């Protein structure tokens, strides 16, 4: 017996999401007030590939998610919502998920999208997709008819839809014949409001309006990655303007309508430039770092706690962002369903005396503390420079080891020696909620290199509940406890919240910065 | 002459082999592979393993190097891990763009460098000489990425004469090509022009002091004939010599200049390939660029022999 539990799924994993649906239901469905023109977007990073199933780069996502769609994705408040599916039914035993596909959806090659395409796309993701472990729990799938796709799990997983709707590397649907191709060799054919025209690496990607687009009418407008989308402009040109000075110049001259990542140093000037507006996504990512539990002296909990005690986060974040930051000692953004203040008493102590005391308790005798950083991401480098000085001031023998980003990253992943602290940013994981955020601290994916790759058993037990707890309340409580353990034992040090500031020309209407660059429902005033 | 050319070509083979070995080996010595870059900071160990398997990076070193050389002898440089197309195809697509800008830049360098150098020498110790020397000093000292950004602010943002970046192929729109390549070409040329000015100036001063110049003047030739027919031909020798050097510097400078101006040339291609640890692209690209530069230097050497009969005699041809 199958029971429609779609609403249960949506509301159980959400807190504020239902509110959004209720208010947006009052609004008129979106229609473009103005149609035509070319919208030019200045990307901050080069697009490595448009194969959305195998690339984690945000540049890939910012372009490709205007071409591709998924069965289920996140809305504006990060709650899972059906997109190419019109409904999701869950069997009473929680093992079977039935996706009814929306009618009339066609790929950009003109072929109708059927359950066979969905099955083939899922199979490709299971084989070579980036986050394919999401599908580990899947026992199999069936396509009883052209518009029905049924997934059967090997055991119930309450957070399955939440995991399936992750946007880090979304499970996008492509035609069956493309799904047989290896990584980075697919033709870019999706079902989205824009179709692919050309990709000139290191230069630009050109998209054009897909005239036969079938919008998702369950919402009145765009919400997050989902919703009722419409291509108001004829074409969109994503230009790769990786040098920030050149990118800002393109915005000022009007050669780009929207630019990603306006450096703080340019913000004051651009805010006063006629024809330019700045828009900001406040909670973009967490500036974060983690110690190496395998290499002395950070194998010593007291030394790690001394590092935290010594740190003045205002100074650090001010240097990291030139003043555009919010302090936050939690592993979620305030307002998110899993947000908790558990363990945040350790944050921003700025107490060198306490640090010295902890060092003495821990028997620290001046071993070097190697801070593994890079200059490619200025916020990480600036964070490390200030932190280095603060640690020294509290009596720690810290030093910087500056490498290029790929080398630093690989060193932190592959080496258990030669570094004590690694700087990074949690950019997509935090917004996606509790389970996604903690995955990197739990076995077997420990970024903090616990000895023999065996992490804190109490933390792992709480993470198990965060992933598989039956109710949201149960999962929230476990998240709070896991965060408390992580902060107290210093598995990770959050520095604060990084915003993302973007620049737009004032003739660009209805553009809202989000975790990807959304060009649907955006129009140019003539 | 043919023997000399063949000899030079044969000498290039061991150099190319060493370069290929170096290109193949060095990238494996740097920690971090394409998988860590593609995976990003939040990738799990299982994710990385999967990416490595997708890209063929899980093969042992000796298998990878054997495959590299087997393919190389068949003229196949492999397939770019990120672009998903053969390396040769990527290089063929990108070369005309960089070569076009390099030629444009070289033309600016030669015209500017020669003229200012000659003018400086002819006005030795006068204000024109000092101005030219100052220009050369500034040109040699300014970092070209800084110059590029300053030019964007002046010529694009304030004056609005040129676009801030991008690229239009010459075959599509010659005026568009000129508009998009002028700033990159000038940014690349300034350093070289400064260098060439100094070389031209000092060579010219030396030549002007030679006996045959005095003889030419004594014969009653006009100053134009003295400079144009007798001095200039001898000034050209060191200029041709530094040309190979200038071209190789233009190529390496193109990595940063192409990134700033958003020009999809070889420089941007290689810069991104290095940062993303796209092994086949870096290996193939290095091999290709070295081969091209070697060939270019051979051409210059042959040209040099042709220009200077003394070397031809020494070469035994």
């Amino acid at each position: 017996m199958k029971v429609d539990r779609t609403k249960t799924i949506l509301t159980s994993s959400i807190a504020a999401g239902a509110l959004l649906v209720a208010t947006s239901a009052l609004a008129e469905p979106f229609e473009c007030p103005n149609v035509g023109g070319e919208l030019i977007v200045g990307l901050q990073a080069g697009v490595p590939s448009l194969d959305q199933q195998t690339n984690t780069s945000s540049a890939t996502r910012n372009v490709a998610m205007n071409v591709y769609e998924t069965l289920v994705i996140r809305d504006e408040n990060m709650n899972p919502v059906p997109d190419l599916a019109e409904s999701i039914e869950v069997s009473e035993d929680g093992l079977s998920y039935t996706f009814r596909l929306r009618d009339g959806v066609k790929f950009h090659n003109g072929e109708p999208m059927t359950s066979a395409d969905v099955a083939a796309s899922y199979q490709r993701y299971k084989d070579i997709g980036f986050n394919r472990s999401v599908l580990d729990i899947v026992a199999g799938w069936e396509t009883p008819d052209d518009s029905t796709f049924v997934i059967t799990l090997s055991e119930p997983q309450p957070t399955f839809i939440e995991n399936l709707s992750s946007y880090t590397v979304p499970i996008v649907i492509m035609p069956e014949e493309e799904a047989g191709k290896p990584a980075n060799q697919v033709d870019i054919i999706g079902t989205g409001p824009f179709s692919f025209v050309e990709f000139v690496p290191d230069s630009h990607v050109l998209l054009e309006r897909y005239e036969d687009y079938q919008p998702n009418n369950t919402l009145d407008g765009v919400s997050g990655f989902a919703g009722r989308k419409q291509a108001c402009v004829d074409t969109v040109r994503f230009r790769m303007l990786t040098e920030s000075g050149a990118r800002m110049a393109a915005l000022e001259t009007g050669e780009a309508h929207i630019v990603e990542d306006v450096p703080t140093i340019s913000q004051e000037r651009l805010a006063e430039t006629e024809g330019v507006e700045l828009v900001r996504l406040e909670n973009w990512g967490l500036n974060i770092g983690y110690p190496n539990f395998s290499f002395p002296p950070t194998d010593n909990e007291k030394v790690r706690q001394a590092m935290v005690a010594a740190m003045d986060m205002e100074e650090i974040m001010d240097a990291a962002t030139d003043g555009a930051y919010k302090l936050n000692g939690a592993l979620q953004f305030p307002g998110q369903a899993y947000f908790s203040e558990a363990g945040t008493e350790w944050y921003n102590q700025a107490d060198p005396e306490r640090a010295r005391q902890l060092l003495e308790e821990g028997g620290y005798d001046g071993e070097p503390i190697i801070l593994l950083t890079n200059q490619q991401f200025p916020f990480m480098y600036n964070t490390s420079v200030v932190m280095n000085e603060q640690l020294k001031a509290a009596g720690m023998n810290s030093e910087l080891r500056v490498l290029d980003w790929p080398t630093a990253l690989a060193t932190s992943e592959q080496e258990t020696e030669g570094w004590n602290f690694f700087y990074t940013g949690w950019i997509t994981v935090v917004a996606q909620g509790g389970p996604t955020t903690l995955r990197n601290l739990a076995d077997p994916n420990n970024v903090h290199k616990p000895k023999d790759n065996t992490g804190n058993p109490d933390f792992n037990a709480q993470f198990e509940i965060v992933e598989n707890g039956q109710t949201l309340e149960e999962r929230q409580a476990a998240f709070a406890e896991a965060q408390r353990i992580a902060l107290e034992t210093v598995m990770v040090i959050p520095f604060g919240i990084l915003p993302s500031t973007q620049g737009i020309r004032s003739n660009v209407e209805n553009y809202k910065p989000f975790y990807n660059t959304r060009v649907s429902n955006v129009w140019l005033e003539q | 002459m043919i023997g000399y050319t063949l000899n030079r070509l044969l000498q290039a083979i061991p150099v190319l082999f060493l370069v290929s070995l170096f290109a193949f080996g060095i990238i494996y010595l740097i920690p971090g592979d394409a998988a860590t870059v593609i995976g990003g900071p939040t990738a799990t160990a299982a994710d990385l393993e999967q990416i490595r398997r997708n890209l063929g990076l899980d093969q042992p070193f000796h298998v990878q190097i054997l495959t590299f050389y087997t393919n190389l002898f068949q003229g196949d440089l492999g397939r770019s891990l990120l672009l998903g197309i053969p390396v040769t195809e990527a290089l063929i697509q990108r070369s005309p763009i960089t070569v076009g800008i390099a030629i444009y830049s070289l033309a600016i360098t030669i015209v500017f460098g020669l003229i200012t150098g000659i003018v400086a020498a002819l006005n030795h110790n006068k204000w024109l000489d000092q101005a030219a020397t100052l220009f050369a000093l500034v040109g040699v000292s300014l970092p070209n990425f800084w110059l590029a950004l300053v030019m964007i602010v002046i010529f694009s943002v304030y004056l609005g004469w040129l676009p801030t970046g991008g690229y239009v192929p010459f075959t599509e729109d010659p005026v568009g090509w000129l508009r998009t390549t002028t700033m990159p070409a000038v940014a690349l040329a300034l350093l070289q022009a400064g260098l060439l000015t100094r070389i031209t100036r000092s060579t010219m001063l030396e030549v002007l002091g030679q006996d045959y110049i005095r003889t030419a003047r004594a014969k009653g030739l006009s100053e134009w004939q003295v400079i144009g027919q007798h001095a200039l031909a001898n000034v050209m020798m060191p200029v041709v010599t530094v040309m190979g050097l200038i071209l190789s510097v233009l190529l390496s400078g193109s990595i940063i200049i192409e990134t700033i101006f958003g020009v999809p040339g070889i420089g941007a291609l290689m810069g991104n390939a290095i940062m993303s640890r796209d092994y086949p692209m870096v290996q193939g690209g290095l091999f290709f660029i070295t081969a091209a530069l070697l060939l270019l230097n051979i051409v210059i050497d042959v040209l040099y022999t042709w220009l200077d009969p003394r070397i031809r005699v020494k070469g035994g041809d």
Side-chain angles (χ1 to χ4, degrees), chain A residues 48 56 127-128 130 132 184 201-203 239 242-243 246 249 253 255 376 404 406-407 409-410 413-414 424 440 445, chain B residues 31-32 36 38-39 41-42 44 46-48 50 52 54 81-82 94 149 152 156 164-166 259-260 269 272 275 277:
Chain A
T56 174
D127 293 339
I128 61 170
F130 182 75
R132 73 203 179 292
N184 300 331
D202 301 329
S203 174
R239 288 181 55 193
T242 53
E243 210 297 313
T253 59
E255 286 168 57
Q376 205 168 334
D404 73 326
T407 311
L409 178 60
E413 282 171 351
Q414 291 158 12
T424 183
N440 283 296
N445 305 320
Chain B
T36 53
I38 295 171
T42 47
T44 63
D47 293 332
L48 295 177
Q50 177 66 43
R52 289 197 184 101
N54 289 349
L81 300 180
L82 286 175
R94 305 298 192 87
L149 290 172
I152 290 177
S156 305
T164 55
T259 305
I260 291 177
L269 182 72
N272 285 327
M275 288 320 288
R277 303 287 193 265

Side-chain angles (χ1 to χ4, degrees), chain B residues 297-315:
Chain B
N297 274 298
I298 292 172
V299 170
I300 287 168
D301 281 355
V302 171
L303 196 70
Y304 198 67
T305 325
W306 177 70
L307 278 175
D308 189 344
R310 286 170 302 181
I311 293 175
R312 207 157 49 210
V313 174
K314 271 190 211 157

Side-chain angles (χ1 to χ4, degrees), chain A residues 44 241-250 260-263 265-266, chain B residues 149:
Chain A
Q44 62 171 311
L241 302 172
T242 53
E243 210 297 313
S244 60
R247 190 167 66 248
M248 295 313 117
E260 297 179 343
D261 189 40
V262 177
I265 200 160
S266 308
Chain B
L149 290 172

Side-chain angles (χ1 to χ4, degrees), chain A residues 402-413:
Chain A
V402 186
L403 299 171
D404 73 326
W405 168 247
T407 311
L409 178 60
T411 304
S412 85
E413 282 171 351

Side-chain angles (χ1 to χ4, degrees), chain A residues 304-315:
Chain A
R304 296 196 301 269
Q305 288 175 340
M307 289 166 71
V308 178
M311 287 158 67
D312 179 338
M313 298 304 184
E314 290 204 39
E315 273 183 14

Side-chain angles (χ1 to χ4, degrees), chain B residues 23-35:
Chain B
F24 187 86
I26 191 99
I27 191 105
Y28 281 91
L29 295 177
I30 310 171
D33 63 3

